[in-house]
Amino acid sequence: MVNRVFQEGIRLGATDIHIEPTHSSLRVNFRLDGVLHEAGALPRELAPNLITRLKVMADLLSYRQDIPQEGRVRSDFSPADMEIRVSTFPTIHGERAAIRLFRFDSRRIDLEELGLQGEIHATLAKAIQQRTGAILLTGPGGSGKTTTIYGCLANILKKENGARHVVTLEDPVEQVLEGAGQTQVRPGTEFDFSRGLRSLLRQDPEVIMVGEIRDSETARAAIEAALSGHLLFSTLHAGSACGVVARLLDMGIEPYLLTSAIRLVLNQRLLRQSCQRCLGLGCDNCHQTGYSGRMLLAEALEITPSIRQAILRKADRIELEELFRAQGGFPLEDHARAAVAKKLTTQEEVNRVLGLLNWQDDSGIKKKEAK
């Protein structure tokens, strides 16, 4: 049964498989294009044996049901370019399991393939030509941040033809980049992001990717690297591009260091695209959902003179966002409304990803599109 669940998830192109016991059944859900879909329900009495089988496959402690555990599955039925990661967690009805299906892509992703809006693409392409500074990305898990960074690194490797030393610190390494030195860190050990980065600086790198800034120590090391002759890419969780700046200030990074180090902050989301075969009505191509594939939306914050002054006086996120709009910035919500107007996606999908928006006031979009 475990093998069948894996095989079906892989066949459908799922990114995650959730197995959760309830009081009456064992539910199985697949995440497709970022959304969970119910795959079916199994008899409740199968739960203990099924979860135990998962634990054995992932080299976990099968006799411990009272603690969360994480591991990797090595199997003959999964493709060679896939890594299966298992996480178990105790609940009142027994243990649940979340399974992540990582697909390694040996094909180099070009910056042009990401699907960024025209002006955002131009801004990012300009930023990665710099030799120093930090390019930071934010967005929820599964919003494509790492893929965007891979596209940037691939662009540098292609244009520089190996002349720049490109290195990464990741958890996990999600794609092999030919020409880059990639390392997987182990959070919670002596080889975490912050310690790995400080040691990596002694390896004479020029372009550095740090998978995620999770704490103030990593943040300080990243900013120092960006100020000392390195082009640094990283991600951190914040609600908006301006929220990244506010969070770094909260981590204790001095404002003058931020204004000197940051080149660009990108906030992005992935939205399901309307199926082009059925125009959103539902067909076999989109599994009757009305959606097929996903599109990338982003907003870009550059450190302009007015933004710089606001950061130096430690302005909060709300003030920074108001200033961003006032100086002609195009927020994520405006990009989303424009995508709905072009029938690339739906209002319901935007509401699912971004929350409820004021759909009556679209005058700002019309003015910006006309401009």
Side-chain angles (χ1 to χ4, degrees):
M1 183 61 70
V2 170
N3 288 357
R4 286 180 60 187
V5 169
F6 277 144
Q7 290 165 353
E8 184 66 6
I10 292 169
R11 184 186 71 81
L12 292 173
T15 57
D16 301 86
I17 301 172
H18 290 195
I19 300 175
E20 183 164 6
T22 68
H23 70 284
S24 59
S25 67
L26 185 65
R27 295 187 305 177
V28 179
N29 295 324
F30 295 150
R31 188 177 296 280
L32 305 172
D33 289 334
V35 177
L36 279 177
H37 295 271
E38 185 174 351
L42 301 174
R44 176 69 177 81
E45 55 268 21
L46 283 180
N49 286 346
L50 194 146
I51 297 296
T52 297
R53 172 60 183 160
L54 270 175
K55 287 181 172 182
V56 171
M57 295 175 72
D59 292 327
L60 302 180
L61 302 176
S62 59
Y63 60 88
R64 294 297 302 268
Q65 293 91 36
D66 57 333
I67 58 172
Q69 298 188 66
E70 295 181 9
R72 291 175 173 82
V73 171
R74 297 169 181 81
S75 65
D76 296 329
F77 56 77
S78 62
D81 61 350
M82 176 175 288
E83 178 181 291
I84 301 175
R85 308 183 85 192
V86 174
S87 170
T88 63
F89 202 89
T91 75
I92 60 172
H93 297 298
E95 289 180 284
R96 73 184 307 274
I99 303 156
R100 191 78 186 271
L101 306 178
F102 283 104
R103 287 173 172 80
F104 299 96
D105 190 351
S106 59
R107 181 179 60 88
R108 180 172 286 180
I109 299 175
D110 289 330
L111 202 58
E112 289 72 19
E113 294 180 11
L114 297 176
L116 286 166
Q117 306 95 295
E119 69 176 77
I120 303 293
H121 175 272
T123 301
L124 180 58
K126 179 182 176 182
I128 66 176
Q129 293 176 10
Q130 302 296 320
R131 296 284 164 165
T132 65
I135 298 175
L136 305 176
L137 286 86
T138 189
S143 61
K145 301 184 295 297
T146 303
T147 300
T148 298
I149 294 180
Y150 279 151
C152 294
L153 297 181
N155 184 276
I156 292 172
L157 289 166
K158 180 180 178 180
K159 288 189 174 182
E160 299 285 343
N161 197 24
R164 295 175 75 181
H165 186 195
V166 178
V167 295
T168 75
L169 292 173
E170 307 174 62
D171 178 35
V173 174
E174 296 183 25
Q175 178 181 318
V176 176
L177 279 173
E178 189 66 32
Q182 296 176 267
T183 302
Q184 181 162 321
V185 299
R186 296 183 295 275
T189 70
E190 293 183 359
F191 190 28
D192 57 14
F193 280 120
S194 61
R195 295 175 186 175
L197 178 54
R198 295 191 185 281
S199 297
L200 188 61
L201 293 177
R202 303 187 187 98
Q203 296 287 311
D204 190 30
E206 294 170 280
V207 180
I208 304 171
M209 170 197 175
V210 177
E212 184 180 352
I213 294 175
R214 299 176 178 174
D215 50 54
S216 57
E217 186 178 356
T218 305
R220 282 192 293 271
I223 294 300
E224 289 172 7
L227 288 171
S228 58
H230 307 89
L231 182 63
L232 180 133
F233 295 86
S234 191
T235 71
L236 70 165
H237 290 290
S240 65
C242 294
V244 168
V245 176
R247 185 167 178 212
L248 288 171
L249 289 172
D250 289 341
M251 286 183 174
I253 307 301
E254 291 296 331
Y256 71 91
L257 295 178
L258 292 183
T259 57
S260 300
I262 295 177
R263 291 284 177 267
L264 181 69
V265 181
L266 209 64
N267 174 33
Q268 64 179 58
R269 299 290 188 278
L270 286 173
L271 281 76
R272 292 180 295 171
Q273 294 185 106
S274 298
C275 178
Q276 297 306 302
R277 291 193 185 179
C278 64
L279 302 178
L281 298 176
C283 65
D284 291 340
N285 178 62
C286 61
H287 305 293
Q288 307 301 325
T289 64
Y291 301 98
S292 179
R294 290 191 284 180
M295 62 183 297
L296 178 63
L297 293 183
E299 64 181 11
L301 173 69
E302 295 182 273
I303 307 300
T304 62
S306 56
I307 292 290
R308 182 186 304 275
Q309 291 302 316
I311 294 174
L312 288 174
R313 65 172 184 271
K314 295 188 176 182
D316 60 18
R317 176 186 58 82
I318 295 176
E319 183 180 347
L320 288 172
E321 289 177 352
E322 290 175 351
L323 188 56
F324 175 61
R325 284 179 175 272
Q327 66 180 20
F330 206 177
L332 201 63
E333 292 85 353
D334 290 354
H335 287 295
R337 291 190 181 96
V340 172
K342 295 175 182 176
K343 301 188 183 304
L344 298 176
T345 189
T346 65
Q347 176 180 336
E348 291 74 20
E349 176 64 5
V350 171
N351 288 344
R352 182 187 72 82
V353 176
L354 298 180
L356 295 175
L357 303 180
N358 180 10
W359 291 91
Q360 273 62 45
D361 183 14
D362 60 352
S363 57
I365 297 175
K366 293 178 180 177
K367 289 178 182 178
K368 288 182 179 180
E369 287 184 338
K371 182 178 178 181

